[in-house]
Amino acid sequence: GAVVSQHPSWVICKSGTSVKIECRSLDFQATTMFWYRQFPKQSLMLMATSNEGSKATYEQGVEKDKFLINHASLTLSTLTVTSAHPEDSSFYICRGQGGSQETQYFGPGTRLLVL
Amino acid sequence: AQKVTQAQTEISVVEKEDVTLDCVYETRDTTYYLFWYKQPPSGELVFLIRRNSFDEQNEISGRYSWNFQKSTSSFNFTITASQVVDSAVYFCALSNSGTYKYIFGTGTRLKVLA
């Protein structure tokens, strides 16, 4: 079946550095990519929605200059956490959506730890 | 406004017991979709079921069953004869037919004790 992969699955970085997370749809075209953040013991919070070839739409309270989202192709979207700080430590999950309710899949997630 | 409420924060049961996880939703849309996902300790979300607003038939899949009742805006999930491997956080989610955005509930942490 369709799979969405994320890379890396784990990343530890120093405060102030930037981290890029890749989300790839492996056998379907993800026209829309949703990016979520999940803090420990909390629910998933939508950060932004991106359509292929367009600028991402960010949810209220999410800094667009800090969380850069690129969705340049139908199979790849990236989330870059710029100048990461310890409070950005979280579990980041993408969800690829291919134009129907039946065609949408979550990635396995990326755990980010900022020291 | 759309909202999903999972009032049960944490449930503990003994293996082989049945357990029901509650989900109540709010939406003004006539066409919408409801989902259940399982999130084991690994973190990866596991899709369990999708149900559209026009299909109120209950569904059974092995030890899992779902009860969708539009009259009470509920979409409850029952695990029969629970097993330790069922221990996870379970999320209920709502999506409308237009944006495909999910509104997640706060999740219910299920602990099945041996």
Side-chain angles (χ1 to χ4, degrees):
Chain A
V3 174
V4 171
S5 69
Q6 271 186 252
H7 177 80
S9 56
W10 260 104
V11 58
I12 301 174
C13 68
K14 292 182 178 179
S15 186
T17 60
S18 294
V19 175
K20 180 184 282 188
I21 301 170
E22 291 187 350
C23 181
R24 293 181 184 272
S25 59
L26 298 184
D27 56 4
F28 74 101
Q29 294 183 328
T31 52
T32 304
M33 198 69 81
F34 300 89
W35 285 94
Y36 298 84
R37 179 169 54 181
Q38 184 182 31
F39 292 109
K41 297 193 175 184
Q42 293 189 22
S43 187
L44 284 78
M45 298 303 297
L46 180 65
M47 299 174 67
T49 304
S50 71
N51 292 306
E52 183 261 340
S54 302
K55 287 185 178 180
T57 301
Y58 290 81
E59 296 297 302
Q60 193 171 10
V62 177
E63 300 174 60
K64 61 179 67 177
D65 294 331
K66 181 169 185 61
F67 299 100
L68 302 179
I69 291 173
N70 184 282
H71 192 172
S73 78
L74 289 171
T75 58
L76 174 64
S77 177
T78 59
L79 166 67
T80 301
V81 183
T82 62
S83 187
H85 289 98
E87 57 265 30
D88 299 323
S89 299
S90 189
F91 189 51
Y92 292 87
I93 309 170
C94 63
R95 175 168 67 94
Q97 196 275 328
S100 71
Q101 290 287 350
E102 292 75 19
T103 315
Q104 45 189 339
Y105 306 92
F106 281 93
T110 297
R111 294 193 187 278
L112 169 63
L113 177 61
V114 184
L115 302 176
Chain B
Q2 295 187 314
K3 186 179 179 182
V4 174
T5 300
Q6 293 181 257
Q8 305 150 308
T9 304
E10 186 167 315
I11 301 175
S12 290
V13 298
V14 177
E15 209 170 16
K16 298 184 182 177
E17 286 186 358
D18 299 347
V19 58
T20 295
L21 309 183
D22 298 333
C23 174
V24 174
Y25 63 93
E26 295 176 29
T27 182
R28 292 181 181 173
D29 295 334
T30 54
T31 303
Y32 53 90
Y33 294 80
L34 295 164
F35 303 80
W36 275 96
Y37 284 88
K38 174 182 180 180
Q39 188 177 42
S42 66
E44 184 166 358
L45 288 162
V46 178
F47 169 78
L48 297 178
I49 191 172
R50 175 184 56 249
R51 176 67 69 203
N52 73 52
S53 52
F54 299 108
D55 182 1
E56 284 193 76
Q57 276 193 327
N58 292 329
E59 178 149 343
I60 298 175
S61 176
R63 295 184 297 107
Y64 295 169
S65 62
W66 290 269
N67 185 323
F68 177 26
Q69 293 200 341
K70 288 176 75 171
S71 60
T72 56
S73 296
S74 65
F75 186 42
N76 297 337
F77 171 34
T78 297
I79 301 175
T80 302
S82 59
Q83 299 176 2
V84 173
V85 293
D86 296 327
S87 298
V89 179
Y90 291 86
F91 289 100
C92 180
L94 167 70
S95 174
N96 66 26
S97 61
T99 66
Y100 300 107
K101 279 187 178 182
Y102 280 17
I103 307 298
F104 279 95
T106 49
T108 296
R109 183 175 300 274
L110 174 65
K111 292 184 178 180
V112 182
L113 307 173

